Amino acid sequence: MSIFSQQALAGKHILVTGATGGIGWETAKTLAQMGATLTVSGRDPDKLTQLASELSPLMDTSSLYVHAADLTDPQEREQLVESAEERLGFIGGLVNSAGAAGGKQVEELDQEFLERLMNINYTSTFMLTQLVYRRMMEEGRGDIINLASLSGLRGTAGNTAYAASKFAVVGWTQSMALEAIEHGIRVNAVCPGYVDTEMARASIQRKAERKGIPFAQAMEEAEAGIPSHRLSTPQEVARTIAFLLTDAAPNIVGESVKISGGSVMR
């Protein structure tokens, strides 16, 4: 059951990147039900078409813009922002949900892998945000939500590259938040642990392979390590993101909101 008003985000144009992933997908659906004007983006045009078909019954389709883009390409980033604003106006909210996972032991890592993961999870996201942020500064308002991770708050074995990229996101969020709030713009991060998505299941599968155990056993171990004894759902993460985009969170600035089932407390 949703606690949010169907008008909570009415008139607010929000760009959701990584909308074809599990969390981005559910975030788009949640925001649509709250009255937002939406631009959704991802790399897979077919998945975007499917997402659009799910969004259509939830919102006025004249308030929906779908744009496939590879955010690691500077020209595609610029085209995404320019075309979204041409179609639907000023982008007052940005959800940076695009990202990639990857787990290898330190001795297995190479520079290409490190640079690719850092580019996807941090550098490209930063550069896209900069484009949107400059317009927000002109307007003197806006909200930016970065999808980080519990891996951006503490390290785990076999996770050095991904953790480093998410630590970067958390550090950037905190520093940018101090600058942005001077312009009436709030910047926050959401830090989930394991979420029941394809990405998380792939991560658990890699862990199973490293340990030489079946996937089911690795899943049981993952759930046993969470005090709530379950993975979070994409909907739970989406609702947290949605809350931070509303006027109900006016003085939440530079936070890293954890969704951990009790596994990380500080």
Side-chain angles (χ1 to χ4, degrees):
M1 179 183 297
S2 175
I3 63 170
F4 302 111
S5 161
Q6 294 180 353
Q7 297 298 311
L9 295 171
K12 187 166 190 172
H13 179 194
I14 301 171
L15 167 59
V16 181
T17 71
T20 54
I23 292 173
W25 191 288
E26 290 300 329
T27 298
K29 291 175 64 176
T30 298
L31 301 182
Q33 293 176 84
M34 295 169 66
T37 297
L38 281 180
T39 292
V40 293
S41 181
R43 288 183 293 179
D44 188 328
D46 293 335
K47 286 187 177 180
L48 282 173
T49 298
Q50 182 183 349
L51 173 59
S53 69
E54 292 193 17
L55 291 173
S56 294
L58 304 177
M59 63 185 299
D60 180 351
T61 54
S62 67
S63 298
L64 173 64
Y65 177 52
V66 179
H67 185 108
D70 179 353
L71 300 186
T72 64
D73 185 319
Q75 290 185 331
E76 293 197 26
R77 290 195 297 262
E78 291 179 8
Q79 186 179 21
L80 168 61
V81 174
E82 289 176 3
S83 59
E85 290 206 325
E86 286 175 4
R87 188 70 63 91
L88 298 175
F90 166 68
I91 299 171
L94 173 62
V95 179
N96 285 313
S97 184
K104 292 185 178 182
Q105 301 282 1
V106 169
E107 68 275 14
E108 300 171 330
L109 290 166
D110 57 44
Q111 184 169 337
E112 181 181 358
F113 183 92
L114 287 169
E115 290 179 348
R116 174 183 172 276
L117 204 60
M118 187 62 78
N119 187 17
I120 294 172
N121 288 348
Y122 171 64
T123 308
S124 296
T125 301
F126 182 103
M127 299 310 297
L128 172 75
T129 300
Q130 186 182 66
L131 295 173
V132 177
Y133 178 60
R134 286 170 174 161
R135 283 283 293 114
M136 288 180 172
M137 290 176 68
E138 294 173 3
E139 293 285 332
R141 57 193 172 97
D143 295 287
I144 298 169
I145 312 298
N146 295 322
L147 190 65
S149 170
L150 293 183
S151 292
L153 302 174
R154 52 93 173 97
T156 52
N159 208 26
T160 52
Y162 180 72
S165 70
K166 291 301 185 178
F167 264 83
V169 171
V170 169
W172 158 44
T173 297
Q174 293 178 0
S175 295
M176 184 179 180
L178 297 176
E179 299 178 23
I181 197 60
E182 296 296 325
H183 303 283
I185 302 161
R186 293 184 303 120
V187 183
N188 289 288
V190 173
C191 298
Y194 278 129
V195 182
D196 194 2
T197 62
E198 290 182 9
M199 184 181 290
R201 289 180 175 274
S203 176
I204 293 169
Q205 178 63 40
R206 288 192 297 271
K207 183 175 290 188
E209 291 170 358
R210 286 199 305 269
K211 298 176 71 173
I213 61 176
F215 172 81
Q217 182 179 342
M219 177 64 79
E220 289 177 3
E221 290 181 359
E223 292 174 337
I226 303 170
S228 65
H229 301 298
R230 68 174 179 86
L231 276 59
S232 298
T233 68
Q235 292 87 353
E236 288 169 330
V237 181
R239 291 166 189 159
T240 302
I241 292 169
F243 165 69
L244 292 171
L245 287 165
T246 69
D247 292 338
N251 209 31
I252 299 179
V253 176
E255 292 293 344
S256 299
V257 181
K258 300 183 296 296
I259 307 174
S260 74
S263 61
V264 176
M265 299 183 186
R266 71 174 192 182

